[in-house]
Each structure stands twice: as structure tokens, then as C-alpha cells.
Amino acid sequence: MDIRKVGVVGAGQMGNGIAHVMALAGYDVLLNDISAEALDKAMATIRRNLERQVSGGRITAEEMAATLGRITTTQDLPALGGCDLIIESATEREEIKQKIFDALLPHLAPHTILTSNTSSISITRLASRTDRPEKFMGFHFMNPVPVMQLVELIRGIATDRETFDTCLAVVERLGKTAASAEDFPAFIVNRILMPMINEAVYTLYEGVGNVRSIDQSLKLGANHPMGPLELADFIGLDTCLAIMNVLHDGLADTKYRPCPLLTKYVEAGWLGRKTGRGFYDYRGEAPVPTR
Ligand code: NAD
């Protein structure tokens, strides 16, 4: 199937990146959010990131202008009905995603492929509540989208071959690499990554190390480019907690229980970089550990 117009729902840290790479690859993009402020912020971020690509010589000023010209923002969700492909990338809460799909369904063209950028929620379950489970799948980008090479493509139980092949062709046109994952809680990357981050929070909670020593240990001792707590702040602690809950509920194994300290940070609204504070405080010149 030929994809020309792509709808992106949710203009947060992931949604703006998805709109960026899609428009840069030549797709017309309709970017939706319930918040006008989020849309303005997303366009400012896309512009800033494109400028960085221009100054780094990776794209030309003309390509940047054309990319920006291919992105339209809207708070009107039904306006996405005519898109060939929709990537839902709103907040990681099933009821929010469910409401978005319910509101979109009556307006979709018959051929529209529906996908979700969810980090962990069951693709099969989301698909089963739509009128097109065979045209539904997981389209999971990594953060930051313009930089990270991988896209996980997750097949629900009913996803058909044409839908998978169409999404695979989109990933290839983006110049990215697809990993195909079966639909089990948190798929491949987060099934492995999140228990490691959660274990780092337990290590902090139990006083085995502090924020700095834990991050330094994994950076210098395991050659990770970022420490696990720094990475958790980057991802968003609410997202990390949501994924741990999905693993815990979905796999029914206590080894996935979220660390109470992670829950406490989320309850405090210390969600990481996006709120200015998490395991580090980002409000000053340099990040300062909060424990
Ligand atoms: P975010 O909090 O930065 O952005 C979420 C956006 O969704 C906000 O702008 C919010 O206003 C918007 N939103 C909420 N309800 C909406 C609705 N009804 N209609 C339209 N927009 C709505 O979150 P994020 O980090 O961009 O995560 C988005 C999705 O991407 C989640 O499913 C998350 O699991 C997934 N994801 C996140 C990461 C990561 O590292 N943060 C990586 C891969 C995938």
C-alpha cells in the first residue's frame, strides 16, 4: 500500500520526533494534540532539531524548509481521518489511548492503517476494540526519534501481512532499522531495559549506591552510554512506572514489581527531565542528584 499522509496523535517528546522524521522522509504529516501549548512546543522542538541537523551538515536549509512545510498541526482529531497511516503516541495510559481510537474510528478511511507507539500496552487488546484488527499494529520508536536507529514493529494476533509489509516499507524509507517483535508485554527493548532501570532504583532505594555511583558504575563498568537513572529521567519516570506495571500485571511475576521509590517520585510529580526534576534536578546549570 502507498502511504502518503501520516497522522500523529500526541505531540509530546515522542510525537514531535515522529512528525519530524516522517516529514523529513517526504510524508505529509498531520500532528494532533489536545493541548495547543503542546503543539506549539512540538513545532519549536522540531525546528530546533532540524536546525541542528542543518548546522551539522546532515540536511540542507531547503530540506529543512520543505520538512516544516509538510507538517500541519491540529487539535481536531477527526481531521486525521483521511490519513493513510496513523501513529498514536499520546500518554502511556490505556484509557487515554482507547478514547483516542474510539473517537477516530468513525472518521477513518477504510484503508487507513492504525498503529500505536505504546511502549508496553497489548497491541492485540487495543486492536480488538477497533473495526480493523488486521490493519492495526505496534509502531514503536525509540527516544530521541531523530537519532535512534531502531523501530520495533509489533504484530497483534490479527495483524495481516500487507499491514506489516507496509509499515516495514515506511521504516525503511525513514532510513531506520526494524526489529520484529511478538505482542507480549513491553515487547523486546523494554522487556529487557525496564527491569534493569527498576533494579537500579531498587539499588538506590536499598542504599547500595547513590544516584551518582549507580550511574557511574553502569557507564564505566558496563560501557553504557547513559546511567540507568539518567536514562529513566530521560524517558520519563511516569512512563517507566507504567511499563513496569504492565510487565507486572501482564506476566504475573513478582520479579517485575515496581520499586516503591519509583512510585514515590511519580507521586511527587518528579517525572524526570520533562518536569525539571527526577533522579536529578535539572533546574540549575548542571544536573544535581536528588538522592
Ligand atoms: P509525553 O508525556 O511527552 O507526551 C504525551 C502527549 O500526549 C502530551 O503532549 C499530551 O498532551 C498528549 N495527549 C494526551 N491525551 C491526548 C489525547 N486524548 N489526544 C491527543 N493528545 C493527547 O509522552 P511521550 O514520552 O511522548 O510518550 C508518548 C507515547 O510514546 C507513550 O505511549 C509512550 O509509552 C511511548 N514511548 C515513549 C518513549 C520515551 O522514551 N518517552 C519511547 C518509546 C515510546
Side-chain angles (χ1 to χ4, degrees), residues 9-11 32-39 74-75 91 96:
V9 184
N32 163 269
D33 203 289
I34 37 165
S35 150
E37 198 191 328
L39 289 171
T74 177
Q75 281 180 270
T91 312
I96 291 180

PDB file of all heavy atoms in Angstrom, residues 9-11 32-39 74-75 91 96:
ATOM      1  N   VAL A   9      -0.833  11.268  16.620  1.00  0.00           N
ATOM      2  CA  VAL A   9      -1.675  11.727  17.740  1.00  0.00           C
ATOM      3  C   VAL A   9      -0.796  11.804  18.983  1.00  0.00           C
ATOM      4  O   VAL A   9      -0.207  10.807  19.394  1.00  0.00           O
ATOM      5  CB  VAL A   9      -2.845  10.756  18.003  1.00  0.00           C
ATOM      6  CG1 VAL A   9      -3.753  11.297  19.109  1.00  0.00           C
ATOM      7  CG2 VAL A   9      -3.627  10.505  16.727  1.00  0.00           C
ATOM      8  N   GLY A  10      -0.745  13.000  19.591  1.00  0.00           N
ATOM      9  CA  GLY A  10       0.125  13.214  20.747  1.00  0.00           C
ATOM     10  C   GLY A  10       1.397  13.882  20.263  1.00  0.00           C
ATOM     11  O   GLY A  10       2.124  13.317  19.445  1.00  0.00           O
ATOM     12  N   ALA A  11       1.637  15.116  20.744  1.00  0.00           N
ATOM     13  CA  ALA A  11       2.794  15.884  20.266  1.00  0.00           C
ATOM     14  C   ALA A  11       3.813  16.079  21.384  1.00  0.00           C
ATOM     15  O   ALA A  11       4.457  17.111  21.474  1.00  0.00           O
ATOM     16  CB  ALA A  11       2.328  17.227  19.710  1.00  0.00           C
ATOM     17  N   ASN A  32      -1.457  15.974  15.852  1.00  0.00           N
ATOM     18  CA  ASN A  32      -2.600  16.308  16.716  1.00  0.00           C
ATOM     19  C   ASN A  32      -2.224  16.225  18.186  1.00  0.00           C
ATOM     20  O   ASN A  32      -1.449  15.362  18.597  1.00  0.00           O
ATOM     21  CB  ASN A  32      -3.748  15.323  16.413  1.00  0.00           C
ATOM     22  CG  ASN A  32      -4.798  15.299  17.513  1.00  0.00           C
ATOM     23  OD1 ASN A  32      -4.695  14.507  18.446  1.00  0.00           O
ATOM     24  ND2 ASN A  32      -5.781  16.154  17.430  1.00  0.00           N
ATOM     25  N   ASP A  33      -2.797  17.124  18.995  1.00  0.00           N
ATOM     26  CA  ASP A  33      -2.696  17.018  20.459  1.00  0.00           C
ATOM     27  C   ASP A  33      -3.930  17.706  21.027  1.00  0.00           C
ATOM     28  O   ASP A  33      -4.531  18.557  20.372  1.00  0.00           O
ATOM     29  CB  ASP A  33      -1.408  17.685  20.977  1.00  0.00           C
ATOM     30  CG  ASP A  33      -0.977  17.156  22.340  1.00  0.00           C
ATOM     31  OD1 ASP A  33      -1.655  17.471  23.346  1.00  0.00           O
ATOM     32  OD2 ASP A  33       0.015  16.415  22.414  1.00  0.00           O
ATOM     33  N   ILE A  34      -4.309  17.317  22.261  1.00  0.00           N
ATOM     34  CA  ILE A  34      -5.430  18.027  22.893  1.00  0.00           C
ATOM     35  C   ILE A  34      -4.976  19.394  23.385  1.00  0.00           C
ATOM     36  O   ILE A  34      -5.791  20.287  23.599  1.00  0.00           O
ATOM     37  CB  ILE A  34      -6.048  17.272  24.110  1.00  0.00           C
ATOM     38  CG1 ILE A  34      -4.957  16.563  24.907  1.00  0.00           C
ATOM     39  CG2 ILE A  34      -7.165  16.354  23.711  1.00  0.00           C
ATOM     40  CD1 ILE A  34      -5.433  16.119  26.272  1.00  0.00           C
ATOM     41  N   SER A  35      -3.678  19.559  23.535  1.00  0.00           N
ATOM     42  CA  SER A  35      -3.158  20.798  24.094  1.00  0.00           C
ATOM     43  C   SER A  35      -2.508  21.659  23.013  1.00  0.00           C
ATOM     44  O   SER A  35      -1.588  21.213  22.324  1.00  0.00           O
ATOM     45  CB  SER A  35      -2.151  20.436  25.195  1.00  0.00           C
ATOM     46  OG  SER A  35      -1.146  21.411  25.306  1.00  0.00           O
ATOM     47  N   ALA A  36      -2.992  22.920  22.871  1.00  0.00           N
ATOM     48  CA  ALA A  36      -2.417  23.843  21.881  1.00  0.00           C
ATOM     49  C   ALA A  36      -0.984  24.148  22.265  1.00  0.00           C
ATOM     50  O   ALA A  36      -0.102  24.295  21.402  1.00  0.00           O
ATOM     51  CB  ALA A  36      -3.234  25.126  21.829  1.00  0.00           C
ATOM     52  N   GLU A  37      -0.740  24.215  23.571  1.00  0.00           N
ATOM     53  CA  GLU A  37       0.599  24.514  24.062  1.00  0.00           C
ATOM     54  C   GLU A  37       1.579  23.400  23.644  1.00  0.00           C
ATOM     55  O   GLU A  37       2.708  23.682  23.227  1.00  0.00           O
ATOM     56  CB  GLU A  37       0.519  24.603  25.581  1.00  0.00           C
ATOM     57  CG  GLU A  37       1.676  25.317  26.214  1.00  0.00           C
ATOM     58  CD  GLU A  37       1.658  25.135  27.735  1.00  0.00           C
ATOM     59  OE1 GLU A  37       0.565  25.027  28.326  1.00  0.00           O
ATOM     60  OE2 GLU A  37       2.765  25.062  28.296  1.00  0.00           O
ATOM     61  N   ALA A  38       1.119  22.143  23.752  1.00  0.00           N
ATOM     62  CA  ALA A  38       1.979  21.008  23.362  1.00  0.00           C
ATOM     63  C   ALA A  38       2.307  21.089  21.878  1.00  0.00           C
ATOM     64  O   ALA A  38       3.439  20.783  21.466  1.00  0.00           O
ATOM     65  CB  ALA A  38       1.296  19.685  23.695  1.00  0.00           C
ATOM     66  N   LEU A  39       1.334  21.502  21.062  1.00  0.00           N
ATOM     67  CA  LEU A  39       1.576  21.609  19.608  1.00  0.00           C
ATOM     68  C   LEU A  39       2.603  22.699  19.305  1.00  0.00           C
ATOM     69  O   LEU A  39       3.509  22.499  18.490  1.00  0.00           O
ATOM     70  CB  LEU A  39       0.261  21.875  18.869  1.00  0.00           C
ATOM     71  CG  LEU A  39      -0.720  20.691  18.819  1.00  0.00           C
ATOM     72  CD1 LEU A  39      -2.074  21.120  18.255  1.00  0.00           C
ATOM     73  CD2 LEU A  39      -0.150  19.543  17.977  1.00  0.00           C
ATOM     74  N   THR A  74      -2.984  20.249  14.385  1.00  0.00           N
ATOM     75  CA  THR A  74      -4.430  20.393  14.585  1.00  0.00           C
ATOM     76  C   THR A  74      -4.850  19.836  15.948  1.00  0.00           C
ATOM     77  O   THR A  74      -4.302  18.840  16.405  1.00  0.00           O
ATOM     78  CB  THR A  74      -5.224  19.685  13.463  1.00  0.00           C
ATOM     79  OG1 THR A  74      -6.622  19.794  13.762  1.00  0.00           O
ATOM     80  CG2 THR A  74      -4.878  18.201  13.349  1.00  0.00           C
ATOM     81  N   GLN A  75      -5.822  20.515  16.567  1.00  0.00           N
ATOM     82  CA  GLN A  75      -6.402  19.974  17.807  1.00  0.00           C
ATOM     83  C   GLN A  75      -7.645  19.151  17.487  1.00  0.00           C
ATOM     84  O   GLN A  75      -8.270  18.606  18.386  1.00  0.00           O
ATOM     85  CB  GLN A  75      -6.772  21.123  18.758  1.00  0.00           C
ATOM     86  CG  GLN A  75      -5.575  21.694  19.506  1.00  0.00           C
ATOM     87  CD  GLN A  75      -5.983  22.824  20.433  1.00  0.00           C
ATOM     88  OE1 GLN A  75      -6.004  23.990  20.033  1.00  0.00           O
ATOM     89  NE2 GLN A  75      -6.322  22.486  21.658  1.00  0.00           N
ATOM     90  N   THR A  91      -0.113   9.948  25.788  1.00  0.00           N
ATOM     91  CA  THR A  91       0.302   9.476  27.118  1.00  0.00           C
ATOM     92  C   THR A  91       0.088   7.969  27.281  1.00  0.00           C
ATOM     93  O   THR A  91      -0.915   7.427  26.816  1.00  0.00           O
ATOM     94  CB  THR A  91      -0.543  10.248  28.166  1.00  0.00           C
ATOM     95  OG1 THR A  91      -0.499  11.635  27.809  1.00  0.00           O
ATOM     96  CG2 THR A  91      -0.022  10.067  29.576  1.00  0.00           C
ATOM     97  N   ILE A  96      -6.651   6.475  27.916  1.00  0.00           N
ATOM     98  CA  ILE A  96      -6.462   7.631  27.023  1.00  0.00           C
ATOM     99  C   ILE A  96      -6.371   7.133  25.574  1.00  0.00           C
ATOM    100  O   ILE A  96      -7.034   7.649  24.672  1.00  0.00           O
ATOM    101  CB  ILE A  96      -5.190   8.425  27.411  1.00  0.00           C
ATOM    102  CG1 ILE A  96      -5.417   9.129  28.763  1.00  0.00           C
ATOM    103  CG2 ILE A  96      -4.810   9.426  26.326  1.00  0.00           C
ATOM    104  CD1 ILE A  96      -4.245   9.951  29.256  1.00  0.00           C
TER     105      ILE A  96
END
